[in-house]
């Protein structure tokens, strides 16, 4: 199934609202990141691994290797990386919020209620290497 903007957000909305109640991470930030990072749920990474956020590494020992674009000194470079593989979107969202709530560099996101500030903070904190990440969100 190919998601449209509306169908993706309709499926995602109850998940991110519940997650915000559980974790205190702003639902609009979680939704915006999922929208961009997963290409509205249509990316190969999301289709293969239920990974909505492009989080690298392993999850419960599971991962997939994917080609990705990283920026080094402002220059786009294609590299292969291991990305976490989740059993479903709910666990992807919960793991995303857990990352923000346990990693010291994301302290400024905890309890933040200003979506613009949250977008700039997540870029400043090093979540993504794109120099335009905050404005894209």
């Amino acid at each position: 199934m190919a998601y449209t903007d509306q169908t993706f957000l309709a499926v995602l909305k109850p998940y991110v609202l519940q997650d915000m109640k559980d974790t205190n991470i702003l639902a609009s930030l979680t939704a915006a990141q999922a929208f961009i990072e997963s290409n509205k749920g249509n990316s190969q990474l999301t289709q293969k691994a239920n990974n909505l956020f492009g989080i690298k590494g392993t999850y419960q020992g599971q991962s997939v290797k994917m080609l990705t674009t990283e920026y080094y000194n402002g220059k786009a470079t294609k590299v292969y990386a291991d990305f976490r593989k989740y059993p479903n979107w709910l666990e992807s969202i919960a793991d995303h919020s857990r990352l923000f709530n346990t990693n010291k560099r994301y302290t400024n996101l905890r309890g933040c209620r200003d979506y613009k500030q949250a977008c700039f903070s997540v870029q400043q904190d090093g979540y993504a290497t794109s120099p335009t990440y905050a404005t894209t969100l």
Side-chain angles (χ1 to χ4, degrees), residues 37-80:
E37 296 286 347
S38 74
N39 186 27
K40 303 174 283 194
N42 297 312
S43 73
Q44 285 187 352
L45 178 60
T46 301
Q47 297 296 313
K48 289 181 178 182
N50 288 310
N51 188 328
L52 293 167
F53 304 98
I55 298 177
K56 294 182 179 96
T58 62
Y59 181 78
Q60 297 179 348
Q62 300 292 308
S63 67
V64 295
K65 190 172 287 296
M66 303 286 294
L67 186 63
T68 186
T69 302
E70 298 294 337
Y71 290 83
Y72 302 104
N73 297 319
K75 183 180 178 186
T77 305
K78 296 280 189 186
V79 296
Y80 280 94

Side-chain angles (χ1 to χ4, degrees), residues 13-30:
K13 183 178 178 179
Y15 299 157
V16 297
L17 289 174
Q18 184 59 52
D19 182 73
M20 184 171 76
K21 289 178 187 174
D22 295 342
T23 67
N24 215 21
I25 298 298
L26 196 60
S28 58
L29 175 65
T30 302

Side-chain angles (χ1 to χ4, degrees), residues 117-137:
Q117 181 58 51
C119 290
F120 283 99
S121 292
V122 80
Q123 178 179 334
Q124 178 185 1
D125 297 343
Y127 184 87
T129 60
S130 169
T132 60
Y133 192 70
T135 54
T136 301
L137 290 175

Side-chain angles (χ1 to χ4, degrees), residues 69-101:
T69 302
E70 298 294 337
Y71 290 83
Y72 302 104
N73 297 319
K75 183 180 178 186
T77 305
K78 296 280 189 186
V79 296
Y80 280 94
D82 288 321
F83 289 86
R84 296 177 185 187
K85 183 176 181 181
Y86 300 98
N88 54 56
W89 287 9
L90 289 172
E91 290 194 46
S92 179
I93 293 166
D95 191 47
H96 173 263
S97 292
R98 188 169 27 260
L99 174 71
F100 287 166
N101 277 321

